[in-house]
Amino acid sequence: MAKNLLIVESPAKAKTIEKILGEDFMVKSCYGHIRDLAKKEMGVDIANNFAPTYIISEDKEQVVKELQKLAKKSEVWLATDEDREGEAISWHLCEVLNLDKNKTKRIVFNEITAPAIKNAVANPRTLDQNLFYAQQARRVLDRVVGFELSPVLWKKLGRRTLSAGRVQSVAVRLVVEREREINNFFAESFYKVAAYFISENKVFKAELSDKFKTEKEAEKFLEDCKQSIFKVSDIQIKPMQKSPAAPFTTSTLQQEASRKLGYSVSKTMMVAQKLYESGKITYMRTDSPNLSVTAMDSIESYVNKEFGKEYSNRKQYASKHSGAQEAHEAIRPTYVENAAEGSTRDEEKIYDLIWKRTIASQMSNAKLEKTIAKIDVSTRNEKFVAEGEVLKFDGFLKVYIEGTDDEDANAEETGMLPALTVGQQLDYKRIEARQRFSQPPARYTEASLIKKLEELGIGRPSTYAPTISTIQNREYVVKGEREGLPREYQKLELVKEKNDLKINKETLQENTGSLKGKLLPTDIGLLVTDYLMENFTRVMDYSFTAEMEKDFDEIAEGHKDWTKALKLFYTPFHKEIEASGEDKEYVTGERALGNDPKTGKPVIAKLGRYGPMIQIGVLEDEEKPKYAKLQSGQSIETISLEDAMTLFNLPRDLGEIEGKKVRTSIGRFGPYIQVGPTFVSLKKEDDPYTITLNRALELYELKMEADANRIIQDFGDIQILNGRWGPYISKGKENYKIPKGTDAKTLTLDEIENIITNSVDKPKKKFPKKK
C-alpha cells in the first residue's frame, strides 16, 4: 500500500492526479461534502454562540468508513478545492479521520497539471481556519434564515414547499421588480427616418438626427424632401480602438456561454468542472481575472509565433471586487498551445470559448477609423448622419469577439462609406420613415441576473449557479417559452417612379416581446416577495445582503469573528420573526377584477389552495362560488376581467364523433378531449379554448391507432403489450418483463405462463392510498 493518502473531491480528479504522482500516492475521492448541519432542531445552537451540530450525510457513510480505514495506514494529504467550500471539506475530513489540523498537510492548486501538482506537494500548508469559519458562517446563517423564515411562509401562504434564503429571496426580488417595471411601462411610438444615398455607384445609409412623434410629421418631412437638395456639409475622420475583454471569471463565463451557446448556468458549470478535473482548464470557481506570470509567458510566446509580435500586448487585469477570494487566477486553458480540447461536443464548445477569450486578452487593441458625414436637407433644419468604419488593424478581433446582452445589438453593422467631399451634392435611391416603439427594460436571463447580483456585490462564484437553480426549483421563477407576438407597424417610403416622386404607405408586421429563455416571476414568487418586503426588510435589502458578503470576506481574512457577525444579524431578524406570528391572515394576493356580466357577482383573482385562480361570487352567497384555474402565462396581478371570464368556458362541447359526444376541458393532468368514455390528452400546441372538432378528430384517431398497436397478443386476462421500454406481459394488475431476444409476437400461452412463473421481477409498485 502507498505510504501517502491524498484526498480530493471528485473521482475524475483522483484518476488524473494519481497518474501524475505515481506509486507513492494513493488518491481517493470524498465525493464533495461529507458532513452537513443536522436537520433535526435546526442543527445550530443559537444560545451557545451559534454552535453547529454536524452529522455525516447518509450517502457518505460508506465513503467515510473506507477513508478512515485507509487513513490508519498512510499519511493523509488534503487536496480539496482551494476555495472556502474546499477548505470546509478538508476541515470536516480532519474531524472524521481524527487528524491533527495543525499538522495535517493541506495542498492547493489552480490547475491539474504535473508541474502544478508536484509544486503543491512540495509546498504543503496547514488548514486555514479563517477560510473555514467564513464558510461555516455562511452555512449557519443560511440554515438559521431558512429554518426560521420558511415556516412563516408555510403559514402565510399555506404551502410547505416554500423556502426563503438570504441570496435566493433577493434574486427573486430583482426578477419581480423588473417584471413590474415592464408591466407598468407604456410603449410610445415614433418615426425613425433613414435615407439611402448614392455616391460612386454605391448605396449607403444615413439616419436623420431627429425622430418624429407622429405619422403626420414623418409624412410632412418626406413631402419636403421631394423639393430638397442634399449636400455633404461636414466630414470627420476619427481613429478608434477596441480593447479585448479580461479572461473569464465564473460569472463572465456563465454570461458568455449563455449568450453564445444558449447554455444554462448549471450546464456551464457542469461542463467546466469536467474540463478542470481532466486537466484541461484551471479552477472554474473564481472572481479574479488575473493570469499567472507563467501563463502570460506562454500566451505571449504563442501569439508571437502564430500571429506576430505586433499582435502581442501583455496585460494584467485587476479584479473589480475587493473581496475576490475563490481562487487567485482566471479561468484559462492549462496549455495554451492546445487550441481544441474536450471529450464531448459541450466540452469542446466551452473550451473553445475559454481558449479564445484567454488568448485575446493578451493581444493588441483593434484599430479602426471611423468616418462621420453630415448631410444637409435644403428644405429642413434636420440633418442626415452617415457613419462608416474601416478596420485598420484587427488585433484581438482576429481571435475573439465578446457577446452582448443588448437586445438591439442585432442592428445593421457599420460598413465603409464611399469617398465623400464637403459640398458634394447627393442623389438618393429612397427615403423611408419606419414606425418604432420605445422599449421597456429587458427581462433578466440567467446570465444577466448573475451579472446584476455581481454588480450589487451579492453572492460569490460558488453560490451563483445554486441560487439560479433554487429559485427555479422552488417555482418562484420560471423560464419563458413564448417566441413573441405579432405587432403591426407603419412604413412610409419616398421613391422615384418613372420620373415622379411618390410616397408609398405600407402596414408591416414584426414579432416582439419574445419570452424565450427570459426569467419570469410566478404568482407565488410575487406574493412571497411582497410579504418578505413588507415584513423582513433587512433580509430583502440589497445593500444589507452585500454587506453580509463583505463580512464573510473579512472573516476569511481573519479580521472579524464569525459568531459576532451572526449575532449582529440575528437579533433584529428574530424580532421580525416573532412579530410575524401576530398576523394570522393568509396571503392570497386577492385582486378584484369587476363583476360577472351575466350574474353581477364579483370576480376575484387570487392564490388558492391549488394555485392561482379566478373566483366568481363569495362564500357568503347562497350559491357556492365558481372557480377556474389560471392558464400558463397568466398572472393574478395582470389578468383582465375579459380573459378571466373565458376561463369559465370549459368544459366545451365540440360536437360528435361516431355518435359520441366530444367535449374539451382541463383536468388534473392538463388539457384533454373526451370522446364518449375515451380521454385524449391535447398536444402542447393545442388550446382547449379554441380547439376545433376536426382537430379533436385527428387526436382521437391517433389515440385509437396507438391503442390498436399497443396490443401485440391478447389471451383474455393475459396480454402482451407494447410499452415505453418495449413489449411486456400484463396479467391482471401485474406486469412482467419479456426476456431479451424473445419474439413477443410468436410467444404461446404456455410460454407466457412459464415466463410469469419463473419471473424474478416484482410487479410495478403501486402508490399507497392517501390517508
Side-chain angles (χ1 to χ4, degrees):
M1 179 177 280
K3 61 182 181 181
N4 296 293
L5 171 64
L6 189 133
I7 303 175
V8 295
E9 289 181 38
S10 77
K13 194 192 297 186
K15 289 178 183 177
T16 309
I17 294 174
E18 198 163 54
K19 290 175 186 175
I20 294 170
L21 293 179
E23 295 179 357
D24 285 346
F25 281 83
M26 176 192 297
V27 185
K28 289 289 180 181
S29 167
C30 65
Y31 297 87
H33 283 278
I34 56 167
R35 296 205 306 177
D36 197 6
L37 293 170
K39 291 182 180 178
K40 190 177 180 182
E41 296 179 357
M42 195 189 298
V44 177
D45 187 350
I46 294 171
N48 188 21
N49 262 351
F50 298 91
T53 300
Y54 291 108
I55 59 169
I56 296 171
S57 307
E58 275 186 38
D59 59 333
K60 298 296 172 65
E61 288 176 357
Q62 200 56 44
V63 174
V64 170
K65 284 179 184 177
E66 184 189 355
L67 292 176
Q68 286 172 334
K69 188 177 177 182
L70 294 171
K72 292 175 182 177
K73 303 172 184 177
S74 309
E75 182 180 5
V76 177
W77 296 62
L78 301 175
T80 51
D81 292 343
E82 65 172 320
D83 57 13
R84 294 173 192 170
E85 296 296 323
E87 206 70 19
I89 293 170
S90 283
W91 189 90
H92 287 292
L93 284 168
C94 285
E95 289 282 302
V96 300
L97 302 180
N98 294 317
L99 304 175
D100 187 337
K101 297 185 186 71
N102 296 317
K103 292 181 180 178
T104 301
K105 293 176 178 176
R106 167 87 168 104
I107 65 168
V108 293
F109 39 83
N110 190 48
E111 59 186 65
I112 303 174
T113 58
I117 299 300
K118 289 176 181 177
N119 181 60
V121 170
N123 299 282
R125 63 169 173 82
T126 54
L127 205 70
D128 187 330
Q129 282 285 142
N130 292 324
L131 272 185
F132 163 68
Y133 287 147
Q135 188 275 344
Q136 181 167 262
R138 177 190 290 278
R139 184 71 191 95
V140 167
L141 182 60
D142 288 347
R143 170 60 66 87
V144 169
V145 170
F147 199 88
E148 294 203 357
L149 190 48
S150 296
V152 174
L153 296 180
W154 302 346
K155 292 174 185 176
K156 298 303 295 181
L157 286 97
R159 282 167 171 73
R160 292 188 64 85
T161 56
L162 301 180
S163 72
R166 281 183 321 105
V167 178
Q168 76 174 52
S169 297
V170 170
V172 175
R173 177 188 169 188
L174 282 168
V175 177
V176 166
E177 288 181 342
R178 177 58 54 87
E179 190 66 20
R180 285 176 173 160
E181 207 176 336
I182 293 167
N183 290 339
N184 293 328
F185 181 84
F186 179 74
E188 295 181 350
S189 87
F190 58 89
Y191 283 79
K192 195 174 180 180
V193 180
Y196 293 83
F197 292 110
I198 303 168
S199 179
E200 297 181 343
N201 295 320
K202 182 180 178 182
V203 177
F204 67 94
K205 181 181 177 182
E207 293 188 348
L208 198 68
S209 54
D210 293 29
K211 297 179 180 69
F212 300 112
K213 289 184 177 181
T214 65
E215 181 181 338
K216 189 176 180 181
E217 290 175 353
E219 188 173 0
K220 176 68 169 63
F221 176 82
L222 295 183
E223 283 288 350
D224 291 344
C225 284
K226 288 180 178 180
Q227 312 300 325
S228 292
I229 295 171
F230 302 93
K231 279 187 179 180
V232 178
S233 60
D234 182 54
I235 297 174
Q236 294 182 22
I237 299 174
K238 298 178 180 178
M240 290 177 59
Q241 291 195 18
K242 287 184 180 178
S243 302
F248 281 130
T249 61
T250 300
S251 68
T252 54
L253 173 61
Q254 290 166 344
Q255 291 164 44
E256 196 74 337
S258 174
R259 295 184 198 113
K260 290 193 169 182
L261 305 177
Y263 287 2
S264 67
V265 167
S266 55
K267 180 175 181 176
T268 297
M269 292 312 292
M270 180 183 70
V271 175
Q273 176 106 20
K274 289 178 180 176
L275 286 169
Y276 166 65
E277 289 172 352
S278 58
K280 309 302 182 189
I281 63 170
T282 53
Y283 191 53
M284 67 287 153
R285 279 191 281 273
T286 173
D287 45 16
S288 167
N290 293 335
L291 294 173
S292 67
V293 173
T294 306
M296 291 172 72
D297 289 342
S298 299
I299 297 167
E300 184 177 18
S301 174
Y302 181 87
V303 172
N304 288 341
K305 180 183 174 184
E306 295 296 323
F307 307 113
K309 287 188 177 180
E310 68 274 19
Y311 280 91
S312 179
N313 180 30
R314 191 182 178 105
K315 184 179 180 182
Q316 191 63 275
Y317 294 82
S319 174
K320 295 179 182 178
H321 307 285
S322 58
Q325 49 83 22
E326 299 293 344
H328 307 295
E329 196 174 357
I331 304 169
R332 62 167 175 80
T334 50
Y335 297 103
V336 296
E337 57 270 21
N338 297 339
E341 286 285 7
S343 56
T344 66
R345 189 72 188 112
D346 287 336
E347 288 180 24
E348 288 170 0
K349 287 179 179 179
I350 290 290
Y351 183 86
D352 183 63
L353 271 186
I354 294 168
W355 185 86
K356 286 178 176 176
R357 176 88 161 219
T358 306
I359 297 295
S361 74
Q362 300 300 302
M363 292 178 71
S364 302
N365 291 351
K367 295 178 181 177
L368 305 98
E369 191 175 82
K370 186 170 186 176
T371 302
I372 302 172
K374 293 182 180 178
I375 301 161
D376 284 348
V377 184
S378 62
T379 58
R380 303 280 299 206
N381 293 325
E382 297 90 352
K383 292 179 185 287
F384 281 103
V385 179
E387 295 185 359
E389 285 182 359
V390 179
L391 186 63
K392 293 291 188 181
F393 175 65
D394 54 4
F396 76 93
L397 294 177
K398 201 175 192 75
V399 173
Y400 184 79
I401 299 174
E402 186 179 13
T404 176
D405 287 320
D406 184 1
E407 294 188 347
D408 295 323
N410 56 354
E412 295 178 31
E413 291 185 15
T414 306
M416 284 181 63
L417 291 178
L420 299 171
T421 56
V422 174
Q424 179 181 347
Q425 188 169 319
L426 297 171
D427 196 5
Y428 63 87
K429 187 175 182 181
R430 71 182 191 276
I431 303 175
E432 65 178 35
R434 285 179 185 259
Q435 185 183 19
R436 299 287 80 198
F437 301 88
S438 56
Q439 296 294 318
R443 288 181 172 90
Y444 288 110
T445 61
E446 286 189 352
S448 61
L449 180 58
I450 284 175
K451 184 179 181 181
K452 185 64 177 178
L453 289 169
E454 190 177 35
E455 287 172 1
L456 293 171
I458 296 168
R460 288 294 181 262
S462 60
T463 65
Y464 295 141
T467 298
I468 297 297
S469 296
T470 298
I471 63 176
Q472 292 179 74
N473 292 340
R474 297 288 181 185
E475 296 184 354
Y476 293 146
V477 167
V478 294
K479 270 189 190 174
E481 295 181 353
R482 194 185 75 200
E483 291 287 358
L485 297 173
R487 176 176 67 187
E488 289 186 345
Y489 69 94
Q490 305 303 313
K491 176 186 167 187
L492 286 69
E493 189 174 53
L494 174 62
V495 292
K496 295 178 180 178
E497 291 183 3
K498 297 178 182 179
N499 298 320
D500 187 28
L501 295 174
K502 185 179 179 183
I503 296 175
N504 297 324
K505 295 184 180 182
E506 191 178 0
T507 300
L508 301 173
Q509 199 175 75
E510 62 186 354
N511 266 4
T512 183
S514 171
L515 300 180
K516 200 162 183 69
K518 304 295 172 58
L519 298 179
L520 309 168
T522 62
D523 282 315
I524 288 284
L526 292 164
L527 294 182
V528 167
T529 299
D530 288 344
Y531 177 75
L532 293 177
M533 285 291 292
E534 189 176 339
N535 296 278
F536 297 90
T537 51
R538 291 172 81 245
V539 170
M540 298 297 284
D541 184 70
Y542 295 135
S543 58
F544 176 75
T545 308
E547 283 300 318
M548 286 303 303
E549 296 293 350
K550 289 180 183 177
D551 285 345
F552 296 144
D553 293 340
E554 289 187 37
I555 293 165
E557 292 160 6
H559 301 321
K560 184 168 278 191
D561 181 271
W562 74 276
T563 58
K564 289 179 181 177
L566 293 196
K567 281 178 185 174
L568 286 172
F569 168 84
Y570 182 75
T571 304
F573 168 72
H574 189 65
K575 286 180 181 176
E576 291 177 328
I577 292 287
E578 289 176 332
S580 68
E582 298 168 7
D583 182 8
K584 304 296 182 184
E585 282 190 24
Y586 275 108
V587 173
T588 63
E590 188 171 303
R591 177 171 158 255
L593 303 182
N595 295 319
D596 178 4
K598 292 180 182 177
T599 65
K601 291 183 177 181
V603 181
I604 300 162
K606 68 177 187 177
L607 184 70
R609 185 178 177 187
Y610 300 107
M613 67 177 190
I614 302 297
Q615 176 182 316
I616 298 177
V618 292
L619 295 173
E620 290 76 17
D621 292 345
E622 288 184 15
E623 188 182 354
K624 285 185 178 180
K626 292 180 180 178
Y627 301 98
K629 287 180 70 174
L630 266 64
Q631 287 185 285
S632 175
Q634 293 180 326
S635 168
I636 59 177
E637 195 163 280
T638 56
I639 192 169
S640 66
L641 176 63
E642 183 182 357
D643 289 339
M645 296 313 298
T646 63
L647 298 175
F648 292 89
N649 292 342
L650 296 181
R652 286 173 61 222
D653 290 325
L654 302 181
E656 291 188 356
I657 294 176
E658 299 173 355
K660 300 169 186 173
K661 283 187 177 180
V662 182
R663 62 169 42 189
T664 179
S665 191
I666 299 175
R668 183 179 174 189
F669 302 106
Y672 66 88
I673 57 167
Q674 182 182 357
V675 183
T678 305
F679 292 85
V680 184
S681 293
L682 298 191
K683 302 290 185 185
K684 194 174 182 179
E685 62 270 21
D686 294 314
D687 185 341
Y689 292 94
T690 58
I691 190 170
T692 62
L693 182 62
N694 286 339
R695 175 57 178 160
L697 177 60
E698 284 179 39
L699 295 173
Y700 177 68
E701 287 175 344
L702 287 171
K703 166 76 172 171
M704 292 299 98
E705 185 181 343
D707 286 352
N709 294 332
R710 183 169 175 259
I711 302 173
I712 299 172
Q713 291 199 69
D714 191 346
F715 297 96
D717 65 332
I718 296 178
Q719 292 179 316
I720 299 181
L721 304 175
N722 256 322
R724 189 176 175 185
W725 291 282
Y728 66 95
I729 297 167
S730 175
K731 182 181 180 182
K733 294 182 179 180
E734 298 177 0
N735 298 329
Y736 300 90
K737 280 185 180 179
I738 294 175
K740 284 184 180 179
T742 304
D743 186 355
K745 293 178 182 177
T746 61
L747 280 173
T748 65
L749 183 57
D750 288 341
E751 288 172 329
I752 293 170
E753 288 178 336
N754 189 48
I755 291 172
I756 293 172
T757 303
N758 297 319
S759 177
V760 294
D761 291 333
K762 299 291 182 187
K764 287 182 180 177
K765 286 184 180 178
K766 303 287 188 274
F767 290 105
K769 288 183 179 178
K770 289 185 179 179
K771 292 182 182 179

